[in-house]
Amino acid sequence: MSFVFQTTRSVLCEPGSSARIGELAAGLGCRKVAFITDRTVLELGLAAAALNGLKAAGIEVWVCAEVQPDPPESILLAAVEEAKRQGVDGVVSVGGGSSMDTAKLVAVLTRAEQPLSQMYGVGLVTGERLPLILAPTTAGTGSEVTPISIITIGENDKKGVVSPQLLPDWAVLDAELTMGLPRAVTAATGIDAMVHAIEAYTTKLKKNPVSDCLAREALRLLAGNIRTACFEPGNVEARSNMLLGSMLAGMAFANAPCAAVHALAYPLGGFFHVPHGLSNALVLPFVLDYNMPVAETLYDEIAPIIFPGKRGADLPGAFVALREELGMPTTLREVGISHNHLPMMVENAMTQTRLLVNNPREMTPEAALDVYEKAL
Ligand SMILES: NC(=O)c1ccc[n+]([C@@H]2O[C@H](COP(=O)([O-])OP(=O)(O)OC[C@H]3O[C@@H](n4cnc5c(N)ncnc54)[C@H](O)[C@@H]3O)[C@@H](O)[C@H]2O)c1
Ligand SMILES: [Fe+2]
C-alpha cells in the first residue's frame, strides 16, 4: 500500500464559530486581512459575526465582496492588486466555493512573485502564502479542506490550480451560515458534495483507505440529511450534518481526485453559467451508467449507504429520482443547452485531463457525447 494524505491543519466545527475568526486570525499574527466574499453573502449578514470578531480582535479589514460564481480570473487579479496596495498580511473568506477559491489564490498571489498563468495545473505553485482562514456558507465544495482553486479564464474556460499551499490554516465550519441557503442551492451543493465522495471512492489512481473512510461517512451524512436540509431549512442538525459531510467529502477528493462527472460538468458552468452542483447533477446518472461495467463492485459498496436497500446498478436511476424529489432541473434543455452546443461541450470537457485521468473507465469523446445526449 502506498499513498499520501494531506488536509487542512486545523478545523473548528461549532454553530456560531465564525465569530471566533478574529481570535484565530490574531493567533496567526494577522494585523490587517483581506476579507473575500460576495455581495449576497454580505447583504444577507452572513459575514457580520466574522467581521465583528475581527474588529474585536483589533484586526483591520479590507472587504472585497466582488466575487461572482465560477470566479473570473479578472476579479481575482484585481483583488490581488488591491490587497497588495492595502498591505494585508492575511486572508479570510466567508462564502461559497467561489469566494473561498478566490481567497486561496489571493493569499498566494499577494505574497508570491510567480505569475498566476504559471500556477494552473498540479503542484506548480512555488511560493508561500499569507495566513488563510476559510468558512464555507454552502455545504458543498469542501474547498476549505482542498488544495484546489477553480478559476474561470476569459469567458468560459475553467482551470484549476492544485497545490498544497492552497490548504488554509483553519477551516471554520459554522452551520449557522448555511441556515438560509435557498432550497435550489442546498440541493445543488449537496449533490456536488455527494459527487465528490462518489468520485473519490471510485477514482482510478489515488484511491486510498483514508479517503475511502471519509467518502463513506460523507455519503452517510449527506444522503441522510439532504432531504431534511431542503425541506426543513431551519433544521440545525441537518444543516450541521450537511456541512460536516461536505467537508469530509472534500478531504476525500483532495487526496483521491474527482473524475469524469466533474470534467463533463465544467462546460455547463463555463459556457452556460449553470451552478456547479447542478451541472454535476445533470450529467451524474449517465456517467455512472458509463462507468458501471468497470466500477460496479465499488458502486455496490456505496449504493446502500446512499440509498438503503439499493445496489450499484440502481444508482443512476436512484439519482434521477432524487433530483426530481429535490425539485432540481433534470435536463440540459431546461438550462438552455441544445443539441448543437454538444460538440463544443465535448471538446471543452476533453481538455480536463487533470480530472479525466482519474475516471475508472476511459472517457472518450464519443462516450462524452453520448452522456450529453442522454442528459439533454
Ligand atoms: N476548490 C475546490 O475544491 C472546489 C470543489 C468543488 C467546486 N469548486 C468551485 O466552487 C464554485 C461553486 O461554489 P458553491 O457551489 O459553493 O457556490 P458559489 O460560491 O458560487 O455560490 C453560489 C451562490 O450561492 C450564494 N450563497 C452562498 N452562500 C449562501 C448562503 N448561505 N445563503 C444564501 N446564498 C448563498 C452565493 O452568493 C452565490 O450567488 C465553482 O466555481 C466550483 O468550480 C471548488
Ligand atoms: Fe465539485
Side-chain angles (χ1 to χ4, degrees), residues 5 8 11 14 21-22 55-56 99 117 140 159 189 201 252 260-261 270 275 292 302 312 320 325 328 340 342 363 374:
F5 188 88
T8 297
V11 175
E14 181 185 32
I21 286 176
K55 199 172 157 198
S99 293
S117 56
K159 281 255 182 333
T189 51
Y201 200 79
V261 180
M292 196 62 70
I302 51 176
V320 167
E325 199 184 333
M328 304 173 79
N340 47 13
L342 302 187
M363 181 54 74
K374 286 178 175 148

Side-chain angles (χ1 to χ4, degrees), residues 188-189 191-192 268 274-283 328-330 335:
T189 51
I191 297 278
D192 182 31
L268 279 68
V274 177
H276 174 71
L278 175 56
S279 305
N280 277 312
L282 288 168
V283 297
M328 304 173 79
T330 54
V335 295

Side-chain angles (χ1 to χ4, degrees), residues 37-42 44 46 67-72 94-102 104 134 136-152 158-159 161 166 175-182 185-186 188-190 192-193 196 239 250 253-254 258 262 266 269 274-278 280 354:
T37 186
D38 68 34
R39 287 265 151 239
T40 309
V41 167
L42 202 62
L44 287 172
L46 298 173
V67 176
Q68 289 168 11
D70 298 304
V94 173
S98 298
S99 293
M100 292 190 287
D101 282 7
T102 303
K104 288 164 153 180
L134 302 178
T137 61
T138 60
T141 67
S143 178
E144 68 278 9
V145 289
T146 74
I148 306 168
S149 193
I150 308 292
I151 299 297
T152 302
K158 293 192 80 168
K159 281 255 182 333
V161 178
L166 269 55
E176 285 177 8
L177 300 180
T178 67
M179 300 296 288
L181 271 175
V185 184
T186 304
T189 51
D192 182 31
H196 294 155
R239 292 294 194 181
F253 90 87
C258 284
H262 272 74
Y266 275 173
V274 177
H276 174 71
L278 175 56
N280 277 312
R354 170 179 77 82

Side-chain angles (χ1 to χ4, degrees), residues 6-362:
Q6 294 178 315
T7 193
T8 297
R9 178 191 292 261
S10 304
V11 175
L12 170 61
C13 177
E14 181 185 32
S17 53
S18 68
R20 291 178 56 191
I21 286 176
E23 190 188 305
L24 301 181
L28 294 169
C30 298
R31 292 178 175 195
K32 179 169 186 176
V33 297
F35 191 96
I36 311 290
T37 186
D38 68 34
R39 287 265 151 239
T40 309
V41 167
L42 202 62
E43 281 164 14
L44 287 172
L46 298 173
L51 289 169
N52 289 338
L54 285 160
K55 199 172 157 198
I59 295 171
E60 271 189 87
V61 181
W62 165 62
V63 177
C64 167
E66 304 305 316
V67 176
Q68 289 168 11
D70 298 304
E73 192 181 53
S74 54
I75 288 177
L76 163 63
L77 293 174
V80 171
E81 276 317 299
E82 188 58 22
K84 283 184 178 163
R85 218 181 58 77
Q86 295 273 346
V88 305
D89 59 9
V91 179
V92 171
S93 179
V94 173
S98 298
S99 293
M100 292 190 287
D101 282 7
T102 303
K104 288 164 153 180
L105 283 170
V106 169
V108 170
L109 290 163
T110 304
R111 185 160 162 195
E113 295 300 323
Q114 187 187 12
L116 174 60
S117 56
Q118 290 175 8
M119 293 180 180
Y120 291 112
V122 180
L124 301 178
V125 174
T126 53
E128 293 303 310
R129 59 157 173 76
L130 296 177
L132 176 64
I133 302 173
L134 302 178
T137 61
T138 60
T141 67
S143 178
E144 68 278 9
V145 289
T146 74
I148 306 168
S149 193
I150 308 292
I151 299 297
T152 302
I153 304 175
E155 282 300 300
N156 46 37
D157 202 14
K158 293 192 80 168
K159 281 255 182 333
V161 178
V162 185
S163 273
Q165 290 93 328
L166 269 55
L167 286 168
D169 296 292
W170 280 96
V172 176
L173 297 193
D174 177 355
E176 285 177 8
L177 300 180
T178 67
M179 300 296 288
L181 271 175
R183 189 180 72 190
V185 184
T186 304
T189 51
I191 297 278
D192 182 31
M194 290 169 83
V195 173
H196 294 155
I198 295 170
E199 294 213 283
Y201 200 79
T202 53
T203 197
K204 189 173 176 183
L205 303 175
K206 294 188 179 169
K207 183 174 165 64
N208 68 77
V210 182
S211 291
D212 284 352
C213 290
L214 292 162
R216 279 193 298 260
E217 179 61 3
L219 287 170
R220 190 185 70 78
L221 288 165
L222 295 163
N225 290 278
I226 192 166
R227 294 172 186 83
T228 314
C230 282
F231 297 113
E232 290 175 39
N235 187 314
V236 194
E237 195 187 334
R239 292 294 194 181
S240 298
N241 286 336
M242 291 300 289
L243 198 55
L244 181 58
S246 69
M247 183 191 74
L248 300 179
M251 288 175 165
F253 90 87
N255 294 280
C258 284
V261 180
H262 272 74
L264 268 64
Y266 275 173
L268 279 68
F271 291 113
F272 303 99
H273 300 290
V274 177
H276 174 71
L278 175 56
S279 305
N280 277 312
L282 288 168
V283 297
L284 172 65
F286 311 103
V287 177
L288 292 173
D289 251 338
Y290 177 72
N291 288 343
M292 196 62 70
V294 297
E296 188 168 354
T297 314
L298 294 177
Y299 290 154
D300 277 338
E301 290 172 17
I302 51 176
I305 303 174
I306 313 173
F307 302 107
K310 301 278 185 194
R311 291 181 311 172
D314 304 323
L315 272 185
F319 271 111
V320 167
L322 179 63
R323 289 187 321 196
E324 275 164 24
E325 199 184 333
L326 299 178
M328 304 173 79
T330 54
T331 63
L332 297 185
R333 282 208 174 84
E334 280 173 78
V335 295
I337 297 170
S338 65
H339 202 265
N340 47 13
H341 293 125
L342 302 187
M344 126 190 131
M345 288 162 59
V346 170
E347 198 181 323
N348 183 279
M350 294 312 291
T351 65
Q352 303 293 342
T353 48
R354 170 179 77 82
L355 298 164
L356 290 172
V357 292
N358 304 309
N359 204 53
R361 183 177 179 193
E362 190 187 354

